[in-house]
């Protein structure tokens, strides 16, 4: 959406905003944005990108610094306001910096012209906050699998028990050997504390090993997002994640 370029300057600036109650600023936008399907598309960046730009800037959207109620083109009944988190920012500088730096190139006629400059920034430190805001419940984070810091959380309920420790260590090694990143909780804590911690961290799946499972030769599987427990898995057929 339209944004103030701030001290960086330039003639044009847009922010990529994730709507969130915990956002740092107010944003104003056309109600139609909530009904817009945003498909994942392949873009040929060698082609004319103007139609794409026009498509995604046709509907009104502006940060609080750029929004002017008096000149807003959207009827009040169709204008929504919300809180938003900035996750990316792009700027068009034109020749603001290239001209004073004498950053020149030869044009079609051979004459020297200043470079046209732009900046395209993804807020790497902002993305985790935006992801968590969009993926959580009352127990904690729910990481999407594509960005989860670990794929699986492995919980050993009874690390002082030799059989539990041996089975958990073996499963950990098998998961790692299969290329699955694992966060292994073998702390001397109560089961409830371990479950709460693993839910708070929010890895996609949890595997739980305890004395009853060892006796049956199974490991319990829990999906964090759905909270479903689809049943025990055979330890001998690991990795079960």
């Amino acid at each position: 959406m339209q944004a103030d370029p701030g001290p960086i300057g330039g003639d044009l600036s847009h922010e990529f905003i994730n709507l969130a109650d915990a956002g740092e600023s107010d944003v104003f936008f056309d109600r139609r944005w909530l009904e817009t399907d945003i498909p994942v598309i392949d873009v040929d960046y060698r082609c004319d990108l103007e139609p794409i730009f026009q498509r995604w800037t046709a509907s009104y959207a502006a940060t609080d610094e750029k929004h002017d109620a008096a000149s807003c083109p959207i009827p009040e009944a169709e204008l929504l306001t919300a809180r938003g988190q900035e996750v990316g920012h792009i700027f068009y500088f034109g020749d603001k910096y290239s001209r004073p730096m004498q950053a020149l190139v030869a044009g079609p006629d051979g004459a020297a012209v200043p470079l046209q400059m732009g900046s395209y920034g993804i807020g790497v430190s902002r993305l985790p906050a935006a992801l968590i805001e969009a993926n959580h419940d009352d127990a904690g984070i729910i990481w999407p699998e594509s960005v989860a810091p670990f794929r699986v959380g492995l919980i050993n309920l009874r690390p002082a028990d030799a059989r539990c420790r041996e089975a958990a260590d073996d499963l950990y090694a098998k998961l790692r050997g299969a290329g699955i990143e694992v966060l292994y909780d073998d702390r001397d804590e109560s089961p409830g504390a371990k479950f709460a911690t693993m839910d708070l961290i929010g890895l996609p799946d949890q595997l739980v090993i305890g004395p009853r499972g060892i006796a049956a030769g199974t490991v319990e599987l829990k999906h964090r997002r759905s909270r479903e427990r689809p049943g025990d898995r055979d330890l001998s057929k690991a990795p079960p994640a």
Side-chain angles (χ1 to χ4, degrees), residues 152-158 163-175 180 182-185 195 198 205-223 228-241:
V152 172
L154 175 60
I155 301 174
N156 180 354
L157 293 180
R158 198 73 64 82
R163 294 182 65 197
C164 286
R165 185 172 62 253
E166 180 182 354
D169 288 350
D170 181 64
L171 180 55
Y172 175 75
K174 288 179 178 177
L175 290 166
I180 299 173
V182 186
L183 179 64
Y184 183 10
D185 187 350
F195 292 143
M198 202 59 79
D205 290 304
Q206 300 172 16
L207 293 172
V208 183
I209 288 181
R212 283 188 292 182
I214 293 298
T218 61
V219 57
E220 182 182 2
L221 171 64
K222 174 186 173 182
H223 297 311
E228 292 179 352
R229 301 175 184 268
D232 296 341
R233 304 299 176 91
D234 190 337
L235 264 175
S236 65
K237 297 180 180 178

Side-chain angles (χ1 to χ4, degrees), residues 15 17 39 41 80 102 129 135 185 203 208:
E15 289 182 2
I17 297 289
I41 59 174
L80 299 181
Q102 290 296 294
N135 297 273
D185 187 350
L203 304 178
V208 183

Side-chain angles (χ1 to χ4, degrees), residues 1-3 14 19 26-34 36 54-76 78-81:
M1 59 181 59
Q2 300 172 47
H14 283 87
L19 298 182
D26 290 323
V27 295
F28 300 82
F29 56 95
D30 190 323
R31 180 185 300 275
R32 289 179 297 176
W33 275 116
L34 298 182
T36 301
Q54 292 297 337
R55 177 187 177 193
W56 294 111
T57 58
S59 296
Y60 183 80
T63 59
D64 50 1
E65 299 97 336
K66 294 292 288 185
H67 176 68
D68 179 6
S71 61
C72 179
I74 304 301
E76 185 175 350
E78 298 300 315
L79 182 67
L80 299 181
T81 182

Side-chain angles (χ1 to χ4, degrees), residues 6-214:
I8 294 179
D11 299 326
L12 183 65
S13 173
H14 283 87
E15 289 182 2
F16 295 85
I17 297 289
N18 174 57
L19 298 182
D21 292 340
E24 69 269 15
S25 60
D26 290 323
V27 295
F28 300 82
F29 56 95
D30 190 323
R31 180 185 300 275
R32 289 179 297 176
W33 275 116
L34 298 182
E35 303 167 357
T36 301
D37 181 27
I38 304 179
V40 177
I41 59 174
D42 293 325
V43 177
D44 181 358
Y45 290 97
R46 297 167 296 180
C47 72
D48 180 12
L49 300 179
E50 184 66 19
I52 297 175
F53 173 80
Q54 292 297 337
R55 177 187 177 193
W56 294 111
T57 58
S59 296
Y60 183 80
T63 59
D64 50 1
E65 299 97 336
K66 294 292 288 185
H67 176 68
D68 179 6
S71 61
C72 179
I74 304 301
E76 185 175 350
E78 298 300 315
L79 182 67
L80 299 181
T81 182
R83 301 291 291 179
Q85 292 175 307
E86 177 190 341
V87 295
H89 206 152
I90 60 177
F91 301 87
Y92 171 60
F93 300 134
D95 59 7
K96 174 181 173 67
Y97 296 106
S98 57
R99 187 176 291 278
M101 291 190 299
Q102 290 296 294
L104 308 176
V105 295
D109 59 357
V113 294
L115 291 169
Q116 296 296 298
M117 297 177 63
S119 171
Y120 304 83
I122 295 176
V124 176
S125 61
R126 296 173 178 267
L127 285 177
L131 284 163
I132 291 169
E133 182 66 29
N135 297 273
H136 72 278
D137 60 15
D138 57 353
I141 304 168
I142 306 174
W143 286 109
E145 186 175 334
S146 59
V147 293
F150 297 90
R151 173 68 179 75
V152 172
L154 175 60
I155 301 174
N156 180 354
L157 293 180
R158 198 73 64 82
D161 183 293
R163 294 182 65 197
C164 286
R165 185 172 62 253
E166 180 182 354
D169 288 350
D170 181 64
L171 180 55
Y172 175 75
K174 288 179 178 177
L175 290 166
R176 291 294 305 275
I180 299 173
E181 294 182 313
V182 186
L183 179 64
Y184 183 10
D185 187 350
D186 60 351
R187 299 172 301 155
D188 186 17
E189 294 282 356
S190 69
K194 292 187 175 186
F195 292 143
T197 297
M198 202 59 79
D199 279 350
L200 178 64
I201 295 172
L203 304 178
D205 290 304
Q206 300 172 16
L207 293 172
V208 183
I209 288 181
R212 283 188 292 182
I214 293 298

